[in-house]
Structures are given as C-alpha cells and as structure tokens.
Amino acid sequence: MNSSTHFQVAYVVSQDLIKYSSRLPSNPGRSILVHSLANAFGLLSHEHFSLRRLQVIKPKPATINDLGAYHAQNYLDALLRTPDGTDSEDSSDFGLEDNCPRFPGLSEYICLVAGATITAANALRSGYADIAINWDGGRHHAQKSRASGFCYVADCVLAILLLKRTQPAPALSLSSDTTLANVTPSHRKPRVMYLDLDVHFSDGVSQAFYSAARSSSRQVLTVSIHHAAPGFFPSSPLGQLPFDPSTSFDPFTLSLPLLAGASNSTFAAIWPLIERIKDIFKPDYVVVQCGVDGLAGDPKCKVFNWSLDVAAEGSLGWCVSRIVDDWKGIRKLFLGGGGYHAPNAARAWAYLTSIILGNPLDVSISIPDDPSHSAFPLYAPSFTLDVPAGNMLDMNSTEYLAEARKRFERASEMLQEILQAQQSQA
C-alpha cells in the first residue's frame, strides 16, 4: 500500500476473502452476493461516477502476531490448528460448537477476515484513504479466548487497537468535501469511537474496552444501539441503558437498547444522542459496525422494522449518510456484521457503498440482470434494490425514548467532565 497515493475510499476485497467468507455457516454464500451486486452496479469501477474516488485493495492475511494483539495464544492454537475443519476435544472450551462450529477453511477465514479489517484500518492510519470498507468484517461477539454468536475473530477490536496507536498524521491531498481538521494533535493520543448498528449488542467489543475500573487515559468510546429483551442474544449487563441500578456504569461504554419494532422514527429520535456523544468525545477515527439484521424482513431476528432509503429520516441509509457527510474531520471505517437474508444484506451493503461514495443509488432501481450477475433470481419478488419497512408495531414509546435521552444526557455530562479533567492534567 503506497501512502503517497491518496484515495478517499478504500474497498477491501479479494477472491480468497469472498471464497472463505462465503463458507461461514451462519451466512453461506452471502459474501459472493454482496460483492457481486456492488460490482454489477458498477460501484467498484473507476468509471463509476461518484463524489469520492474508490480503490479496491486486497487484504493482507493476518499473522499470528496480528491476531495475538488481542486473542489469547491458547485460543489461537485451538482455532488455527485444524484447517480441515475437523473437530477437536477442546472445541467446547473455546466456543467452537453450536453456533460457532469448525468448518473447512476456518483458519483461512480467520486470517483473511481479520487481515481485511486490519488492512482497512491501515489504509486510514497511513493516509491512503479517508474512508475504508470491509463488509466481510464486523465480528462483534468474538471474545478474547472464545468464539461466540457466529463470530470467531475479534476484527473490530483488532482494528481499534491499531487505530489508537500514536502515529504522526501524514499530509493528505484532500478534496473540498473532506477536511481532516480533527487530525490527531501531537499533544494527545488518537481517540477511536466505535458505533454498532447491529440488532445485537456488541458484547465482544464493549467488554474488550470496558474501563470502569481503569484510571488510565481513555482513548476508546463504544456505543451500541441494539435490541434487548429476556432471552435475546447476547445477555450482558453492559447492554442496558446507562445508570441501570443493576450495572456498573462507564460513560466510555455506552448502550442504547431498543424495544421491538424499532423503526426509522425511533432512530431519528435517538440520533441526536449519538451526535452529542461524538461531539464531546471528538474522535480521530470512527469504526461503524453496519450489521443489517435490524432491517425489516430479517428471517433470524425479526425484531426491528428498519428500512434502507436514505431519503427516509432515521433509516439505515440516512444514519450512514450523516456519518459520512456530517462527521467532518474523522476518518471512518465501515464494517459488516449480522444480516441473515443474504440478498437483502447484499442490497444494503451495495446501497451503503453508493452512499459512502457520495452518489446514492435510487432504491427503486432494478437489480442488474446480465450474464455477469447470475444471482439475479435470488432478488425475487421485487427485483429492486429497496428493503422497505414492514407493518411491525414500534414499541419504543415517547416515554421510553425520553428516559433514554435523560440517561444519555447524564452520560454526556460525565464524559465531558472526565475528558476535561484529562486535558487539564496533560
């Protein structure tokens, strides 16, 4: 990767990444659909008209040392020593069963997915790009020593650990729509904000950076917007609203649980809370996990009623457009995540790619039907790009959202107090 060449968007993909990601038992074939649809729409072509310039880059597979920046060595030994997917006596000790079984090509998958997210993070860190994308990443449930929730490797955590390292900011050649006024000042370490939009709580990432008992400088802030209900995965005290009496509260590890039926209007109502936290924290980087299992019609989750169209306030497309267009001076890493209706995941991430490029596709556009896109029949019955909302009732009442707002305002005050104290001590 030549840091002297500057692209605004780095899109990380390779044939090997697609091949092994498509073997993931929870999402068989999904990666193929995602990248083939983005390609069919011409989004990955240099000839595609867009506001921002895109470059496809191949991931460098993660090494044992790369993975060991977070994961325990005994876990990596168990994870990588059986590349043929055969079982092992200690599988249960490391969560390699049930929803995280071994599968053929597991070791290649681990190294490629982690490597792709690390490659994307390095593209930002080196100044090669202002925005980076790895739709095969976003494995936010993986633990330090255990696989969990279809996630085998903590690529989000690995990226955050890399981005928070101190490094002189490179000189960048920027277009008029992108300014890096927030390039890390020399007097402080980089700050990284992690924002998780998946319907499931980001337990793996939040736990990794939970800092209630730490007195050191806080460089990482995690925010998870998700569904929470008895029996809904994962069960974690960190996944509750701030100031829940049963939890120890840390304003750098924030959670915004939503009730069933969360819709565009709910996300529009809570978005100012996220913006407020971002403005106080002043991150140099933001890592956005764009799980799409909260979109209407997801066959596995079935709890949110979110839609895609950027023109609809509060939609997934609208939220991503706000991050891309309005969060000035912050380098951005977009990752995938959950999403168990593979054609809808492909629709969503192709569409988000077009938003990131600054020229959103029309959601009513037809799915390309040509010899190079053999997956066309899978997009029945609409054969269009849109993932519209359904008829699910939104249970997030005005009263519930008012309570969430009240608690986040208190969290904002605590966050500001801590950061001001840090600054005065610097």
Side-chain angles (χ1 to χ4, degrees), residues 40-256:
F41 277 123
L43 299 173
L44 310 185
S45 169
H46 289 295
E47 298 177 0
H48 178 73
F49 174 76
S50 61
L51 184 64
R52 300 180 181 92
R53 189 177 171 209
L54 178 143
Q55 177 66 38
V56 173
I57 56 177
K58 292 184 178 181
K60 179 182 178 182
T63 65
I64 292 292
N65 286 340
D66 292 332
L67 300 173
Y70 178 64
H71 286 293
Q73 188 60 52
N74 60 346
Y75 175 63
L76 294 177
D77 291 342
L79 195 64
L80 303 177
R81 71 166 173 247
T82 54
D84 60 351
T86 57
D87 202 0
S88 175
E89 291 182 359
D90 57 5
S91 290
S92 61
D93 296 337
F94 299 105
L96 298 171
E97 56 183 1
D98 299 331
N99 59 27
C100 291
R102 296 180 184 275
F103 61 91
L106 174 60
S107 60
E108 289 89 349
Y109 167 80
I110 295 297
C111 295
L112 283 163
V113 168
T117 298
I118 290 171
T119 298
N122 274 324
L124 300 179
R125 198 163 172 262
S126 67
Y128 184 83
D130 305 323
I131 304 172
I133 300 170
N134 175 25
W135 294 135
D136 292 298
R139 315 313 301 172
H140 63 166
H141 297 306
Q143 309 289 324
K144 186 180 185 72
S145 303
R146 189 174 181 86
S148 177
F150 312 133
C151 300
Y152 299 81
V153 63
D155 66 297
C156 307
V157 174
L158 294 171
I160 294 168
L161 290 173
L162 181 62
L163 293 173
K164 69 192 280 286
R165 293 182 188 173
T166 302
Q167 174 175 300
L172 300 181
S173 172
L174 302 173
S175 66
S176 58
D177 77 302
T178 307
T179 59
L180 285 178
N182 229 27
V183 165
T184 312
S186 58
H187 63 273
R188 72 165 171 86
K189 297 177 181 179
R191 291 179 184 165
V192 185
M193 178 176 176
Y194 174 80
L195 175 60
D196 197 298
L197 303 177
D198 196 283
V199 78
H200 298 95
F201 173 54
S202 61
D203 59 330
V205 182
S206 296
Q207 187 63 53
F209 296 103
Y210 180 60
S211 54
R214 300 178 191 173
S215 59
S216 61
S217 175
R218 314 286 181 80
Q219 289 178 252
V220 179
L221 169 76
T222 66
V223 183
S224 178
I225 307 171
H226 57 273
H227 179 60
F232 191 79
F233 180 87
S235 176
S236 171
L238 292 180
Q240 306 304 314
L241 276 172
F243 304 105
D244 185 296
S246 65
T247 66
S248 297
F249 174 63
D250 171 20
F252 289 82
T253 309
L254 295 174
S255 171
L256 211 172

Side-chain angles (χ1 to χ4, degrees), residues 397-416:
S397 64
T398 302
E399 292 76 17
Y400 180 80
L401 295 176
E403 179 65 20
R405 186 176 301 108
K406 178 181 178 181
R407 296 194 189 191
F408 260 71
E409 286 172 355
R410 177 59 184 136
S412 299
E413 293 171 0
M414 289 181 63
L415 183 67
Q416 193 160 30

